[in-house]
Amino acid sequence: MSTFDITAIRSNFPALQQQVYGKPLVYLDNAATTQKPQCVVRAIDEMNAKINANIHRAVHYLAVQCTERYEQARETIRRFINADKPQEIIFTAGTTAAINLLAFSFGERFVRNGDEIIVTEAEHHSNIVPWQLLCERKGATLKILPVDDTGRLQTEKLPEILTGKTRILCVTQVSNVLGVVNPVKTIIQLAHAHHVPVLIDGAQGIVHEDVDVQALDCDFYVFSGHKLYGPTGIGVLYGKEKWLEQLPPYQSGGDMIASVSFTKTTFAGLPLKFEAGTANYIGAHGLATAINYLQSIGSAAARAYEQQLTAYAVEALSTIGGLQIYGAAAPKTSVLSFSINGVHPSDAAAILDKLGIAVRTGRLCADTLMQRFRLQGMIRASLAFYNTKEEIDALVNGLRQVQKMMH
Ligand code: PMP
């Protein structure tokens, strides 16, 4: 293992110090949500306890403090993903909320009867269903870019799927099931050659990759705070200004208007046009605190450690008879989904739980991938940089116990 000081890192996370059922918690459900470092917990607590007032409106001390923190958080995120302008960063409640915003607004402006929208077979439900509903509303067609047996996106099929009717292409950077890093830069170049804008679902990608939206040249990029060691209820829609300027508002109400009369409302400029109502300024500050934390521990070192741990886990899991990991295509992140012959995922999860081991099982919000691999469900162990080899050993021992009990 690298010199990454795992003991010091773990001590930053209060949730990791606890026991469940009298056993040390082994938390391997990080693709669903990550635990929060103490500094994030403290930042949220401090705002809830003291630095709390609604933003962008009043001029009193607390309101100014909160507004500054909110806009500072926008700037932290702009820098983190290297967006060109702060107004290209829209705060949302999370990835799902960001995609729904885009599917509605983009759909209203650009999608007509007979048009086509491309998603991939590797998407989370939240990057399928909003587009499917849009297609139903508009009489458009949803087209699918498939994955192969190793979980690799069949990008070579894109030229035949992209047509003059394609309005947008939506692809996940990293699948929450397969953990495979998709070649999004190549996909973006191919789509742009057909003048098709691209949305990247970065919910998993931003956790495992350095993201530079300008270098990628993606038109939209979305992610959630809670998977990035930040709070729940906050996320981001990045959009190129030239696109966001053209889109109509999604939700409407306070803070997103320039003026209102009973005959006509005019809207605020970016980013507030897309941030109706009281924003989650505490969540935004919490997310910025998480990003600062990640940068302070060194994201390169954390990733290198995570990669070593993943290699160790893949090796250890492969010693279990009848276990098959899905998504062998490289490059692969620390999301490991598998099945074990003769073991129902829910049984495995229930037994592992009693051993203090938290994994995710079932369809993993990816029914289409389950259909692709002809499975009712999978078991998913998703690792973070705060996990250890000992925890992987505990998982493997736990799975052996599951096998013994099931056979
Ligand atoms: N896309 C991917 C790839 C995800 O992993 C998830 C969460 N599992 C989502 C979208 C949805 O994120 P959220 O529930 O935070 O909106």
Side-chain angles (χ1 to χ4, degrees), residues 242-261:
K242 70 167 189 190
W243 284 111
L244 293 178
E245 286 285 10
Q246 296 180 70
L247 303 186
Y250 173 47
Q251 294 188 322
S252 50
D255 227 23
M256 54 76 72
I257 52 89
S259 69
V260 178
S261 76

Side-chain angles (χ1 to χ4, degrees), residues 31-32 94-97 99 124 126 172 174-176 201 203-204 224 226-227:
T95 302
T96 306
I99 298 174
H124 186 280
S126 61
T172 190
V174 172
S175 153
N176 65 307
D201 174 352
Q204 301 293 337
S224 299
H226 69 100
K227 293 183 200 281

Side-chain angles (χ1 to χ4, degrees), residues 41-68:
V41 177
R42 216 181 295 121
I44 298 167
D45 276 359
E46 186 207 24
M47 286 192 78
N48 274 316
K50 290 203 293 200
I51 318 289
N52 178 46
N54 212 329
I55 57 169
H56 292 153
R57 292 162 179 130
V59 295
H60 59 77
Y61 177 82
L62 287 179
V64 172
Q65 289 281 309
C66 288
T67 303
E68 280 178 6

Side-chain angles (χ1 to χ4, degrees), residues 43 47 55-56 64-83 85-91 223 228 231 234-236 271 275 279-292 295:
M47 286 192 78
I55 57 169
H56 292 153
V64 172
Q65 289 281 309
C66 288
T67 303
E68 280 178 6
R69 286 181 184 208
Y70 186 66
E71 294 305 332
Q72 182 56 45
R74 199 188 306 277
E75 174 58 18
T76 301
I77 288 153
R78 184 200 67 74
R79 260 189 281 118
F80 186 56
I81 62 171
N82 194 33
K85 298 172 182 159
Q87 61 267 34
E88 295 177 322
I89 305 295
I90 311 294
F91 281 116
F223 65 96
L228 195 62
I234 188 79
V236 170
E275 294 183 354
N280 184 359
Y281 48 92
I282 298 183
H285 177 62
L287 174 54
T289 307
I291 290 171
N292 290 335
Q295 289 174 333

